Amino acid sequence: MKRDYIKYFVGLAACSFLGLTSCDDDKDLGGKMDEMITVSTITLNETQYDAGNKTICLLKNKELQLSWSIAPENATDANVQWTSSDESIVAVTREGKVVTKDKAGKAIITLTPEIGFGPEATIVTRTVEVMDEYTYMSAINITNVPAEEIAAGDEYQLTVSSEPATTTFKRYKWTSSNPEVATVDEKTGLVTGISKGDATIIVTADDFSSNPVSASCEIGVKIVTPITGMTFTEDKELNQLGYGQEYQIKYTLDPVDATASLLTWTSDNPEVISVDKTGKLSIKTMTNGSATITASYGPVVQSKTVTVAEGRFCYSFDNSVGPWTLENGATATSDGEKTVVQMGFDKGKYRGDLVLVKNNSGKTVIITPATYRYVALKIKPLSVLQSGNNSAGCVKFEIYDNPLTIGYNYLGGKGSANNSFSILNRTQVSTTEPNILYFDLMSNFDNKNPEVRTKFDLVQLKFVIADYLAPAVSYDLYWVRTFKTLEDLQAFVDSENNTNE
């Protein structure tokens, strides 16, 4: 072929010479040669054995026909040539058929125009790895399942991880169980919401395994209805939020079926009261404070000032003990309903104190006995606690301020700090059901007992939960709250029980 090109160029030169001669003699030879069009790019098409990074993985003694395209399509000479860097591993025929030998290893195959020259885009290489066997996926995991429904018309990109890391072909096939609700791109995992409903998205290993692994997730699709108006519901709770409380702001939308998730929520004082994307408030302070909460969607903007009431506690331990801490080596596990505390071993017994603020920590917490008189703790110990002594363990309430005007240990009316609490609706602590233990802040303490109990800045507030013997080495913790009256406490417990029924 190269000789043909030499002849071609010699002929082209001769014609040019004759053309010049004809000009000199004012003669017309009757035509001119066509311009030569060279190849500008060569594109090698994908194969089912592509493993990424321009690598083709094949087993020994196999054949694979490659295909390609050239541009421009009207190139004068569209012929190509193939070479292999190691023909003892991989050979390539003139027609582009890859032939692997009985030898594992790697070789680089190269595709170029047969003319032997051209721009960089005309030189195509692939690494061919010849293997004894493929490594298949053993597990697939969808790593970013959406926590909420996606909107019809929206897209959501799913991603996956797989094991082992040495898998030969990290490729996946995606399908939807209900494409009328949600479709998914077969190769990329890009989900598109179509209509309201649910669909199962399935991803399967595309790795030549006879039994490919798979994973799936549920995708919910919602219809988005724009918001034209919004109104906060009158709610006295927003004027008396408690330390540690989480509370959902109540509101109405126009139209009634408008999509609430379109709202954007902000707080102008998030260190005191923060708000999440659903309008749920989280009280961060242990003193009084306020914040302006704003909900907006386009021209629809509404604001509400919310306030923390001094001395009101509303700490729930369904997901963690924070911001409280545990002492004595105790550890905690939460299940969404309660926190189970495994007490630490302390001087021959088990102990796990629950602390909100500790002396010399630089933090304080305000209590207001004249307003929020009762502190209540919902707890289930594994031992029947005995009033006035700690032989079977104890729950002791300990608070004080600085300088000392209240504290240290709560005595109630019993004159002893050990298990000096009262039990709501019971005469004895239960080890099978949660108990509501409460403490009257207007009652006695072992050091000071001022007549006026309006407000105290405490430097220490803790529940000493100690002196337990095996097997009573843990306790279940639900919440700590303050109440103005015992009637309020009873009403809250009743509402909680009704909610859980």
Side-chain angles (χ1 to χ4, degrees), residues 22-288:
S22 66
C23 290
D24 290 340
D25 296 339
D26 293 327
K27 295 180 180 179
D28 185 0
L29 296 180
K32 63 178 181 178
M33 290 193 66
D34 293 334
E35 180 182 357
M36 181 179 182
I37 301 173
T38 59
V39 175
S40 60
T41 60
I42 299 179
T43 302
L44 187 61
N45 298 328
E46 292 183 358
T47 79
Q48 61 180 328
Y49 297 95
D50 288 0
N53 297 321
K54 295 185 177 181
T55 298
I56 299 172
C57 291
L58 294 170
L59 299 179
K60 293 190 294 187
N61 301 311
K62 297 293 182 181
E63 294 182 352
L64 174 65
Q65 179 62 56
L66 301 178
S67 62
W68 62 94
S69 60
I70 65 169
E73 294 182 354
N74 62 340
T76 302
D77 187 348
N79 293 321
V80 297
Q81 64 181 3
W82 292 89
T83 59
S84 169
S85 65
D86 191 341
E87 293 195 350
S88 69
I89 297 174
V90 175
V92 191
T93 68
R94 181 182 180 87
E95 294 77 23
K97 180 182 289 185
V98 175
V99 180
T100 64
K101 304 302 180 66
D102 191 24
K103 178 181 178 181
K106 295 181 180 180
I108 297 175
I109 59 173
T110 304
L111 171 63
T112 60
E114 190 177 54
I115 192 174
F117 63 88
E120 184 177 351
T122 64
I123 302 173
V124 181
T125 63
R126 290 291 185 272
T127 298
V128 178
E129 183 173 0
V130 180
M131 315 175 75
D132 293 311
E133 60 182 8
Y134 295 138
T135 300
Y136 304 119
M137 294 184 210
S138 60
I140 298 177
N141 179 45
I142 300 176
T143 58
N144 64 333
V145 178
E148 301 176 349
E149 294 177 320
I150 66 173
D154 282 358
E155 295 179 338
Y156 186 87
Q157 180 63 61
L158 292 172
T159 58
V160 294
S161 62
S162 62
E163 296 178 356
T166 55
T167 297
T168 305
F169 299 102
K170 290 188 177 181
R171 300 183 311 219
Y172 312 93
K173 288 183 179 178
W174 297 84
T175 57
S176 169
S177 68
N178 195 351
E180 293 183 354
V181 170
T183 61
V184 62
D185 186 279
E186 181 183 26
K187 291 185 177 181
T188 67
L190 181 65
V191 176
T192 302
I194 303 299
S195 63
K196 183 176 177 60
D198 298 298
T200 301
I201 304 300
I202 304 164
V203 57
T204 305
D206 181 19
D207 60 358
F208 297 110
S209 170
S210 60
N211 187 26
V213 295
S214 63
S216 64
C217 69
E218 297 299 317
I219 297 287
V221 180
K222 62 185 178 182
I223 302 299
V224 174
T225 302
I227 299 168
T228 59
M230 180 219 179
T231 304
F232 285 108
T233 303
E234 287 299 321
D235 186 356
K236 67 178 183 179
E237 186 73 8
L238 297 179
N239 298 320
Q240 54 181 15
L241 297 165
Y243 315 154
Q245 186 175 9
E246 291 189 344
Y247 190 75
Q248 178 65 53
I249 288 184
K250 300 178 178 66
Y251 57 91
T252 58
L253 296 176
D254 290 325
V256 293
D257 62 344
T259 304
S261 60
L262 295 175
L263 288 172
T264 298
W265 294 87
T266 59
S267 167
D268 71 343
N269 197 1
E271 293 183 355
V272 173
I273 305 173
S274 65
V275 62
D276 71 6
K277 62 182 180 180
T278 68
K280 179 182 285 187
L281 304 175
S282 294
I283 314 307
K284 308 296 186 181
T285 182
M286 291 190 290
T287 60
N288 62 334

Side-chain angles (χ1 to χ4, degrees), residues 350-416:
Y350 289 88
R351 179 170 180 171
D353 293 357
L354 180 66
V355 182
L356 181 57
V357 291
K358 189 173 183 179
N359 192 28
N360 297 321
S361 68
K363 298 179 180 179
T364 61
V365 60
I366 293 176
I367 62 169
T368 54
T371 306
Y372 292 95
R373 177 172 178 171
Y374 297 95
V375 176
L377 169 69
K378 185 175 182 179
I379 187 172
K380 188 185 79 173
L382 296 181
S383 179
V384 179
L385 307 180
Q386 300 176 20
S387 176
N389 74 72
N390 63 339
S391 59
C394 75
V395 175
K396 183 168 61 173
F397 186 47
E398 181 179 293
I399 61 173
Y400 58 86
D401 55 358
N402 186 16
L404 190 62
T405 59
I406 189 172
Y408 295 94
N409 296 313
Y410 173 78
L411 303 176
K414 302 180 176 64
S416 170

Side-chain angles (χ1 to χ4, degrees), residues 237 240-245 309-315 324 356 365-369 371-378 397 399 436-441 458 461 463 479-486 488-490 492:
E237 186 73 8
Q240 54 181 15
L241 297 165
Y243 315 154
Q245 186 175 9
E310 281 190 330
R312 188 180 183 201
F313 295 0
C314 297
Y315 291 104
W324 296 66
L356 181 57
V365 60
I366 293 176
I367 62 169
T368 54
T371 306
Y372 292 95
R373 177 172 178 171
Y374 297 95
V375 176
L377 169 69
K378 185 175 182 179
F397 186 47
I399 61 173
I436 310 298
L437 312 182
Y438 66 89
F439 306 83
D440 183 358
L441 295 178
L458 302 181
L461 187 154
F463 292 94
W479 48 254
V480 174
R481 302 177 73 96
T482 55
F483 298 90
K484 293 180 178 180
T485 66
L486 291 180
D488 288 345
L489 169 57
Q490 184 67 63
F492 174 78

